[in-house]
Amino acid sequence: MKRGFKTEARKLALELRAELGVDAYGKFDPYALAAEYGIPVFLLSDLGQDPAAREAAAHYARDGSVTFSAALVPASSRRLILDNDAHDPRRRRNSVSHEISHLVLEHEFGQVLLTRDGYRPFSPDNEEEADWLGGELLIPYGAAERAARLDWDDEQVAETYDVSIPLARMRMNYSGARRVIANKRAYRSRNLQTRSAP
Ligand SMILES: [Zn+2]
């Protein structure tokens, strides 16, 4: 990950959310962002109707079975996203956020980009950046901070932002928001004690 990328991603995520009319606290819709960028999202189950398309999709997957969550695929001069709708919707929201992040960050790629569970070789730096921006889009730093202030547990965060519990936990931990809030509270109560001392 480039130096300063996390700070950059924090700002960028808020700008992208604002394009969709969503502030730091609202629920993010990765499909709406894809539409905003003119990127069509195809469901694998729809491709299944078309044997050639199905075969092409399976081509990108390990031993012929479709194991990836989402893929960003070049189609002549355009890009499209393949969305594996056999997977859990919350996992798919994260995967589509990841793929659209590659696009927004203008990551160069030769053939096809898959989520981490795919098998294609990838640039670890680019993957980290797309993961990070995807996370900021789904749960911005400010949202994690507010959740910490409200004493939400990981389940509440996951429910509110429609993400998996592991992702909610990761965002809450990475943001350090709970620790910051706990420190602030400790500081405030120490101050109150000092002030009320005779
Ligand atoms: Zn990726």
Side-chain angles (χ1 to χ4, degrees):
M1 212 183 289
K2 281 195 300 272
R3 251 181 93 85
F5 178 80
K6 289 183 181 177
T7 312
E8 202 181 292
R10 206 186 278 188
K11 256 176 53 195
L12 181 56
L14 293 182
E15 285 167 17
L16 293 167
R17 289 170 68 97
E19 280 179 31
L20 303 176
V22 187
D23 64 12
Y25 310 114
K27 192 172 113 175
F28 171 70
D29 179 359
Y31 296 93
L33 188 61
E36 184 78 10
Y37 274 77
I39 305 299
V41 178
F42 290 98
L43 301 180
L44 276 186
S45 64
D46 283 345
L47 293 184
Q49 311 298 318
D50 178 334
R54 184 80 197 169
E55 196 185 310
H59 170 74
Y60 295 122
R62 217 192 310 261
D63 53 48
S65 63
V66 179
T67 56
F68 63 88
S69 297
L72 184 63
V73 179
S76 58
S77 61
R78 297 168 61 222
R79 301 274 184 270
L80 59 87
I81 288 176
L82 287 180
D83 178 13
N84 189 351
D85 49 330
H87 285 171
D88 177 76
R90 290 183 170 180
R91 179 173 169 194
R92 288 166 54 202
R93 282 168 48 73
N94 187 24
S95 302
V96 173
S97 299
H98 173 102
E99 298 305 336
I100 197 82
S101 294
H102 276 307
L103 193 104
V104 169
L105 295 169
E106 297 177 339
H107 286 159
E108 295 274 333
F109 66 96
Q111 235 207 332
V112 65
L113 282 180
L114 300 176
T115 44
R116 279 186 189 288
D117 45 352
Y119 80 112
R120 291 270 151 172
F122 54 77
S123 146
D125 257 9
N126 286 358
E127 289 315 308
E128 263 179 33
E129 289 185 1
D131 269 352
W132 194 265
L133 180 58
E136 280 288 343
L137 283 168
L138 288 162
I139 306 180
Y141 178 82
E145 205 180 30
R146 188 188 67 154
R149 224 166 29 234
L150 296 173
D151 288 323
W152 285 1
D153 58 20
D154 295 335
E155 282 77 7
Q156 273 170 297
V157 176
E159 195 59 42
T160 304
Y161 293 101
D162 203 9
V163 300
S164 68
I165 290 172
L167 181 69
R169 184 176 305 132
M170 190 193 82
R171 290 296 303 164
M172 293 304 291
N173 289 345
Y174 274 148
S175 74
R178 282 183 182 134
R179 202 183 52 234
V180 171
I181 298 293
N183 287 347
K184 268 188 200 157
R185 281 181 184 153
Y187 179 78
R188 234 185 351 247
S189 76
R190 255 200 321 274
N191 261 7
L192 283 175
Q193 279 163 14
T194 321
R195 246 182 287 156
S196 58

